[in-house]
Amino acid sequence: MIAALRTRWPRARFWLNAFVLVAPGWFLYASLTPTFPPAWPTQAAGPFEVTPTPHDDAGPYPHDGAHVKDFSFRFCDDCVARIRMAYANAGPEPIAVLDGEDGVVHGHGALQEAHVPYPSHPGPEDRLWLTVQEWNGTLHRLAWPLPRPTD
Amino acid sequence: MALNRKRWFQVHGWLSLPVWAVFCFVCITGTIAVISHELTWLTNRDARAENPRGLPPQPLPALVEAVERVVPGAEIRQVMVFEPYLVTAVGFAMPGKPPAIAYVNPYTAEVQAINHGLTFIGFMRALHGWLLFPWHHSWSVGYYLVAAMSIVTLGALVTGVVIYKRFWRAYMRPQLRPAAGTRVLLGDLHRLAGAWSLWFLLVIGATGLWYLVQAVLWHSGTHVWEDPAPVALHELPLTSGEPPARIALVQALGAAQRALPEMQPRWVSFPEHNRAHYGIAGSGDNILYDAQSWRALVNPWTGEVDAVRTPAAMNALQTVAHIADPLHYGTFGGLWTKAIWFVFGLLLSAMSVTGFLIWRKRTFGAVRKPAPRHAAARVAPAEGARP
């Protein structure tokens, strides 16, 4: 075993360096030609139209003691200014109150994003919920079915 | 087990050789990254803050207003102030287009260029910092790889000092023998550069080691700073439906300056949602701390400063986090320290090359070209040149 390592290590060392130095070129190409999962259906939340898109096809990831999945939300032009607060969560029900810190929809311009609290194993009753409040306090809630892990 | 000098010499090689090409690449990209702003200044006239009339710097709100005039509908995201000879960068979003950065002359408030893509500065930082490896939310293999080079740097420093007997002689009696053959000259260059770069290796290695610790902290979800509590929902106005006006940047800046009179604003982030704060950060009276060390979080509805950060109130971890960048980048003294970091970065890059060439000549040179039997007698060995 050690003898094999001794004979192979010099060559492996060469390839290790070569791989690490070729990798940035590959990753640069990948970053300049990004691919995103397909957008979910556009829905209207009161006067607002919104289209969610997951950042990737992977499952949720652990973050600060919970599981979250990143989504972007494209709102209609000039709509974001008319929103007081918006929250996204995934589960059987939408959030009940708007004073939390999780799932806040944030960003600049029409393309917003959120780190959405997301079940690690979505069940049939779970949905992606978007809760939008206008400046006059009116609430709008939207839901999208979640893709099942086997989908 | 005590290590003799031969073993130390082997360790010196083992540390560097398996990754020498990657280490060299990281050194070269870091050296370029140090002066990436200045290279941009040289190659892109729009990045220069020319001031032929000797005007005083305009207040930041005037620069933001200039962008809003030139780009109707722009939603300002952030403002970044650089050295006096560079433009101020104003990041913004606009409908149907990717985020962009406006280059604004800080003296004339003229918008000189709008960048829609990756800048050379950002590219060099990413190439050096994580080799462009993708980020998986809070960690990147590339960031770990580059940060692990600090172990190589510090290891080469320690073992180099041990195997180079009486290395301090390189300061009083530097030895460089160009007529004694390539191998001797390479060894002389390697040792001379190493001895004169000891302080630089220590600074880069120690700060790099912090980046390795920081990578682990990020990956494990440990926060150096606790996120500030967002603005309470009841502080947001309720209207008949029309969007209310939050306080203007000029008021937010005024509140931040009153709370932190010693702060020179260098960085402004605009609220990302209606419960978020204006983040106004800058440098202060201690050049060793970075431009984020003095920070005020301003409530965009009340104009109150809800939280401040200053070096005086930092714990040990926060202090290290805020002094690492100026030391690693060499930015704490402006152009002069950047120039010194660039020169020693070149030396460090050259050391990785000469080290490899020495190893190659030691390993293969004798096989390809047997040395004359009395060669050693013609050239006296340098101090510490042999294990």
Side-chain angles (χ1 to χ4, degrees):
Chain A
M1 174 72 189
I2 291 174
L5 195 68
R6 273 189 179 157
T7 51
R8 292 186 183 195
W9 174 234
R11 190 175 289 266
R13 203 163 56 183
F14 169 80
W15 285 111
L16 177 76
N17 278 271
F19 166 74
V20 173
L21 292 183
V22 166
W26 166 251
F27 291 131
L28 176 65
Y29 171 76
S31 69
L32 294 174
T33 53
T35 55
F36 297 103
W40 292 12
T42 300
Q43 291 194 44
F48 311 118
E49 275 198 344
V50 59
T51 311
T53 307
H55 280 199
D56 54 44
D57 288 320
Y61 61 95
H63 176 70
D64 284 350
H67 277 85
V68 298
K69 185 167 168 59
D70 296 339
F71 280 80
S72 65
F73 293 90
R74 179 169 290 285
F75 288 83
C76 40
D77 288 349
D78 304 321
C79 288
V80 171
R82 293 187 284 144
I83 294 172
R84 190 175 186 237
M85 283 302 291
Y87 289 83
N89 71 294
E93 293 179 349
I95 56 160
V97 289
L98 302 184
D99 57 358
E101 297 180 31
D102 297 327
V104 176
V105 177
H106 62 278
H108 294 279
L111 187 62
Q112 302 271 304
E113 63 177 347
H115 311 295
V116 181
Y118 203 95
S120 50
H121 299 288
E125 73 287 359
D126 289 325
R127 301 278 183 276
L128 171 68
W129 294 94
L130 182 68
T131 304
V132 180
Q133 186 190 42
E134 294 185 59
W135 281 109
N136 60 8
T138 307
L139 280 176
H140 306 282
R141 289 196 165 99
L142 290 172
W144 288 263
L146 300 187
R148 302 295 302 279
T150 52
D151 285 356
Chain B
M1 185 188 80
L3 289 173
N4 59 26
R5 288 184 62 244
K6 186 177 179 182
R7 282 279 176 224
W8 279 106
F9 193 82
Q10 279 183 322
V11 174
H12 188 74
W14 286 340
L15 273 167
S16 318
L17 275 169
V19 291
W20 90 268
V22 177
F23 181 74
C24 184
F25 185 77
V26 170
C27 290
I28 292 168
T29 52
T31 302
I32 297 167
V34 161
I35 56 160
S36 57
H37 285 92
E38 286 65 33
L39 288 173
T40 303
W41 185 95
L42 279 170
T43 56
N44 181 359
R45 187 165 184 175
D46 292 333
R48 300 175 196 170
E50 291 177 344
N51 188 17
R53 288 183 288 160
L55 300 168
Q58 297 271 326
L60 297 186
L63 309 187
V64 168
E65 285 161 19
V67 175
E68 288 169 334
R69 268 197 312 274
V70 171
V71 188
E75 191 175 324
I76 308 298
R77 306 168 68 201
Q78 61 192 173
V79 181
M80 289 170 287
V81 179
F82 299 106
E83 280 79 358
Y85 47 86
L86 292 166
V87 288
T88 295
V90 179
F92 64 91
M94 57 185 302
K97 293 200 174 168
I101 297 173
Y103 286 2
V104 190
N105 186 310
Y107 307 105
T108 63
E110 181 194 350
V111 178
Q112 297 181 172
I114 290 176
N115 259 299
H116 280 286
L118 184 65
T119 63
F120 173 70
I121 295 158
F123 172 74
M124 284 314 304
R125 182 166 181 246
L127 186 62
H128 171 68
W130 51 93
L131 303 172
L132 304 181
F133 275 64
W135 282 86
H136 308 276
H137 307 297
S138 62
W139 62 277
S140 161
V141 171
Y143 195 89
Y144 274 120
L145 271 173
V146 175
M149 294 299 150
S150 64
I151 297 168
V152 176
T153 308
L154 293 172
L157 163 67
V158 172
T159 53
V161 164
V162 172
I163 60 180
Y164 186 5
K165 276 197 305 187
R166 289 178 286 184
F167 67 88
W168 51 88
R169 288 193 171 200
Y171 306 131
M172 280 89 74
R173 288 194 301 164
Q175 191 177 42
L176 209 55
R177 295 164 289 174
T182 311
R183 188 166 150 181
V184 172
L185 179 62
L186 285 172
D188 285 350
L189 282 168
H190 192 76
R191 283 185 298 277
L192 193 61
W196 282 87
S197 301
L198 281 182
W199 67 273
F200 187 70
L201 287 161
L202 189 61
V203 168
I204 297 298
T207 49
L209 197 60
W210 156 250
Y211 295 135
L212 187 59
V213 171
Q214 184 174 250
V216 174
L217 292 176
W218 284 343
H219 199 159
S220 64
T222 308
H223 297 285
V224 172
W225 288 101
E226 283 306 316
D227 289 332
V231 173
L233 186 67
H234 65 79
E235 291 187 28
L236 273 61
L238 276 167
T239 70
S240 59
E242 286 304 303
R246 64 186 180 206
I247 65 161
L249 175 60
V250 64
Q251 292 166 276
L253 271 169
Q257 290 281 209
R258 283 191 295 277
L260 298 170
E262 71 276 29
M263 178 180 72
Q264 296 160 327
R266 299 278 305 275
W267 179 86
V268 176
S269 67
F270 283 65
E272 285 195 307
H273 57 84
N274 290 320
R275 291 182 60 206
H277 293 84
Y278 277 104
I280 296 167
S283 45
D285 47 11
N286 188 328
I287 58 168
L288 285 179
Y289 285 86
D290 66 19
Q292 308 276 322
S293 297
W294 283 260
R295 183 185 296 213
L297 296 170
V298 184
N299 185 314
W301 304 107
T302 65
E304 298 283 319
V305 175
D306 284 350
V308 293
R309 294 178 189 173
T310 60
M314 289 179 187
N315 62 30
L317 201 62
Q318 290 160 350
T319 301
V320 173
H322 284 276
I323 63 173
D325 283 0
L327 285 170
H328 196 81
Y329 306 164
T331 50
F332 58 90
L335 195 56
W336 286 108
T337 47
K338 279 191 193 184
I340 293 167
W341 258 238
F342 173 72
V343 169
F344 278 89
L346 286 178
L347 273 180
L348 189 51
S349 308
M351 279 168 65
S352 68
V353 175
T354 53
F356 174 76
L357 292 175
I358 290 165
W359 169 81
R360 204 181 67 159
K361 283 192 172 291
R362 285 174 65 92
T363 310
F364 303 110
V367 176
R368 287 178 187 160
K369 193 176 173 183
R373 288 178 66 181
H374 301 293
R378 287 202 297 272
V379 181
E383 285 286 352
R386 294 191 176 279

